[in-house]
Amino acid sequence: MKHAIVLSFLSLAVAGCSVLPASGNNGAQRNSSADRTAVAAPVQPRFAAASPVIASPAAAQCFNRLGSAGVQFDPLPDQYLGDGCSTLGAVQMHALQGDDGRLDVSNLGPVTCPVSSAFAAWARFGVDRAAREVFGTPLANIQTMGSYSCRNIAGSSRRSGHASAAAIDISGFVLADGRRISVQSGWNGSAQEREFLRLVQRSACRRFGTVLGPDYNAAHRDHFHVEGVIDGNSYCR
């Protein structure tokens, strides 16, 4: 079914067919501790006029690459949500591909396709392999605090990367043997936990434009914030 959906989006891009924005708030996520300090109340999405949104060739190509990487996902219609918030060229990821099989991912909403591709590669080549190296067991699940949310950067008037579905907050990792490695407790936890979490953060810094973790500030003590893809400039802390 997922591949059929991808193929239909590819056909739309070639034929120039339109996709109308869906109604309703698609995929708003619960706030992390950083989110709770950002705005007093969430901004309610406001949809623009229902003008046609074309699936671009670049988006269609990205959907194809994501499918080829073994990611199970649904492409989502472009939505302009008002107040500087949007989900353009976004997908809903359901499962990723590890070296030996499926990797689950929890609590995700819309994520732009380029960030989804970076996330899928990081999950397989960074996180799964780090779990095998440090703990001797594969990764089973990446637990997140969400992706899209129409909000500002904490303490500023600038929109967060979450407002354009270009960021994901990761709170923990579940191994195949059932162990859970929490960013909050593991960052200064056992020697294995500390090694693993720093390995996966360094790996993320090679794939995402911005990576923020517990050493950045207190608001990120319980998660990694990963945003955008590397385009020549990056910030990792």
Side-chain angles (χ1 to χ4, degrees):
M1 181 63 180
K2 311 300 179 190
H3 297 298
I5 294 173
V6 175
L7 290 175
S8 68
F9 264 69
L10 291 172
S11 300
L12 287 174
V14 173
C17 297
S18 64
V19 180
L20 294 178
S23 61
N25 184 355
N26 190 351
Q29 303 295 309
R30 74 175 179 85
N31 291 342
S32 67
S33 58
D35 307 338
R36 290 191 290 271
T37 62
V39 288
V43 177
Q44 294 301 316
R46 293 203 306 269
F47 288 87
S51 57
V53 178
I54 306 300
S56 71
Q61 290 170 6
C62 186
F63 296 153
N64 187 50
R65 289 194 300 270
L66 201 58
S68 297
V71 179
Q72 297 178 29
F73 69 100
D74 291 314
L76 301 174
D78 286 353
Q79 297 188 87
Y80 297 90
L81 303 170
D83 295 309
C85 298
S86 63
T87 57
L88 307 180
V91 305
Q92 174 75 59
M93 289 184 285
H94 303 293
L96 312 175
Q97 179 66 41
D99 281 345
D100 294 332
R102 172 185 172 121
L103 301 176
D104 290 321
V105 60
S106 63
N107 201 40
L108 274 182
V111 181
T112 64
C113 188
V115 173
S116 296
S117 292
F119 184 76
W122 172 66
R124 178 173 184 176
F125 302 113
V127 186
D128 187 26
R129 292 185 181 180
R132 295 165 187 270
E133 177 182 336
V134 176
F135 296 107
T137 189
L139 177 70
N141 182 283
I142 296 179
Q143 298 180 323
T144 85
M145 292 176 166
S147 50
Y148 171 77
S149 181
C150 187
R151 64 177 185 264
N152 292 345
I153 296 172
S156 83
S157 59
R158 292 190 298 118
R159 281 300 189 204
S160 164
H162 291 285
S164 56
I168 302 171
D169 288 340
I170 299 108
S171 61
F173 308 88
V174 179
L175 307 180
D177 62 9
R179 280 179 288 178
R180 180 178 185 269
I181 314 303
S182 161
V183 174
Q184 182 169 13
S185 63
W187 190 252
N188 294 310
S190 70
Q192 279 186 314
E193 289 173 328
R194 294 196 306 270
E195 180 185 3
F196 169 74
L197 289 173
R198 283 156 178 80
L199 273 176
V200 300
Q201 185 188 34
R202 288 196 296 271
S203 176
C205 293
R206 293 192 290 271
R207 297 185 183 276
F208 299 98
T210 299
V211 179
L212 306 176
D215 283 345
Y216 179 61
N217 61 18
H220 291 81
R221 67 187 180 280
D222 59 355
H223 69 281
F224 293 133
H225 169 97
V226 298
E227 178 180 341
V229 294
I230 291 181
D231 60 359
N233 299 307
S234 63
Y235 184 81
C236 181
R237 178 72 185 276

